Amino acid sequence: MEAVDAGAAVVADAGRVTFPALADDAGRKSDAGSSTIAFDAGWLDFDAGMEADAGTPVSAFDAGGRLDVDAGPPVSVSDAGLVSPTGAGAALSAHTALGLPDTSAVGALDRWLLVKPQFVLSYDTLRKTPRWVSWRLDTSWLGTATRASSFRRDAQLPTTAGQARDEDFRNSGFERGHLCPSADRTNTDPDNDATFVFTNVVPQTRASNGGTWATLEDEARAQARLGKTVFLVAGPVFGVTSQFIGAGVPVPTATFKIAVIVDGPVGLVPPVTTSTRVIAVLVPNTTSVSGSWRSFRVSVRSIEQATGFDFLADVPRAVQDVVETRVDAEP
Ligand code: MN
């Protein structure tokens, strides 16, 4: 049964990741790629099974789900439904090493978990919007790959699942705004191509996408080039009422990004502590937004309150309480 394989893959991965510091090979591009591919194979099998009886979405991280399949290491489940503090995020992917923001799972229509070698994301197939995208950035991801020329359907979702399309954006007045940026994945052409999927974009104004939002993307890469590793999560924020484009794709009122900056370029990185720099930004998705990201800094906690997510969920709660309530003020 496929679910058994998937569960075994989770446990096997969990066994080779040291938390909170990543195992030395966890963040290294080649290793991360191969282990994720093996892991993905399990999930793809699992997906096939899910399509057969789509009526029963399975929550990957409920204790009753896959982690239970094998008598793996003991885990504790927090009240948020996430496994902690043993590191469910790190067990899943180097891109979610600091934790999963919510209970997304393969097959959950409103929070479908997509694990890729290049990033991890949660997609709402009912509302046709990403919820969050999480990725690790270090210099191993930066190179000279050619920027892909077109967006395509994310083939990791079944065709029966809702997904935004190119036609939704055409003549909408909004750009296809990457969450995990194209320029953060320039190590190889396939890695760059992977960012050009409709599960990784939201309708974004030119002023934000090409302006304020872009300045923050530049900052993250600048930090990586300074020898840091940056753990990023980005996503849309919606108001009480939504504007829509095309066949019902919602337009965010703002986009958020959280960047956790730790020392060490590739591989082993230190755990997040109360002195770790954490940047959280909320950029209004308006036609008039302008200027540097620095003017739009907020606390992580305020974004948690706006979205219902728990960022840095695998970081000790006492540390979260410090770094998530502080607003970055570095120049
Ligand atoms: Mn948190």
Side-chain angles (χ1 to χ4, degrees):
M1 163 180 177
E2 290 80 6
V4 173
D5 291 341
V10 169
V11 172
D13 263 8
R16 50 183 286 285
V17 175
T18 306
F19 193 86
L22 288 171
D24 188 45
D25 62 349
R28 217 168 264 154
K29 189 66 190 312
S30 54
D31 281 351
S34 58
S35 71
T36 308
I37 286 163
F39 182 72
D40 267 356
W43 285 71
L44 288 174
D45 289 347
F46 185 71
D47 265 354
M50 285 310 302
E51 278 183 76
D53 63 344
T56 52
V58 172
S59 176
F61 295 101
D62 280 349
R66 56 221 297 137
L67 288 176
D68 223 26
V69 170
D70 209 276
V75 295
S76 63
V77 179
S78 75
D79 56 2
L82 302 177
V83 180
S84 85
T86 48
L92 184 71
S93 166
H95 302 307
T96 52
L98 304 184
L100 289 158
D102 66 358
T103 55
S104 291
V106 175
L109 297 179
D110 69 342
R111 51 187 66 196
W112 199 301
L113 185 67
L114 297 173
V115 181
K116 303 172 185 293
Q118 298 82 10
F119 51 90
V120 175
L121 72 91
S122 174
Y123 194 78
D124 186 335
T125 68
L126 304 176
R127 298 190 67 219
K128 297 195 283 193
T129 178
R131 293 155 49 74
W132 52 261
V133 180
S134 188
W135 69 103
R136 176 179 172 143
L137 176 62
D138 57 46
T139 52
S140 74
W141 292 99
L142 301 178
T144 56
T146 315
R147 183 179 164 95
S149 57
S150 64
F151 285 87
R152 62 187 188 287
R153 193 185 156 273
D154 190 329
Q156 211 175 338
L157 279 178
T159 53
T160 50
Q163 185 175 158
R165 303 189 304 165
D166 219 21
E167 301 86 282
D168 295 319
F169 288 84
R170 202 168 296 150
N171 302 319
S172 71
F174 290 89
E175 299 190 348
R176 299 162 300 190
H178 279 87
L179 290 173
C180 178
S182 162
D184 279 12
R185 293 292 181 257
T186 53
N187 192 54
T188 66
D189 286 353
D191 284 346
N192 186 260
D193 287 346
T195 69
F196 283 80
V197 285
F198 284 104
T199 51
N200 183 41
V201 296
V202 293
Q204 208 171 18
T205 62
R206 177 70 197 158
S208 175
N209 191 29
T212 304
W213 189 251
T215 69
L216 181 54
E217 294 179 340
D218 289 343
E219 176 67 22
R221 286 187 295 274
Q223 291 292 333
R225 291 193 179 98
L226 288 171
K228 308 285 187 177
T229 286
V230 189
F231 291 98
L232 296 130
V233 189
V237 175
F238 297 100
V240 177
T241 59
S242 287
Q243 178 185 355
F244 296 92
I245 60 169
V249 174
V251 178
T253 54
T255 46
F256 73 82
K257 180 172 282 180
I258 291 160
V260 179
I261 302 169
V262 297
D263 291 323
V266 179
L268 188 69
V269 294
V272 174
T273 68
T274 54
S275 56
T276 299
R277 186 179 183 193
V278 176
I279 297 170
V281 169
L282 190 62
V283 179
N285 193 26
T286 62
T287 56
S288 60
V289 67
S290 67
S292 157
W293 60 273
R294 289 182 174 82
S295 306
F296 297 93
R297 287 181 277 195
V298 296
S299 69
V300 171
R301 196 54 56 83
S302 71
I303 299 175
E304 290 187 332
Q305 286 161 355
T307 59
F309 299 142
D310 180 11
F311 302 106
L312 316 186
D314 291 347
V315 171
R317 190 58 55 180
V319 176
Q320 288 185 55
D321 285 342
V322 174
V323 299
E324 292 185 346
T325 54
R326 189 165 60 203
V327 177
D328 179 69
E330 286 191 33

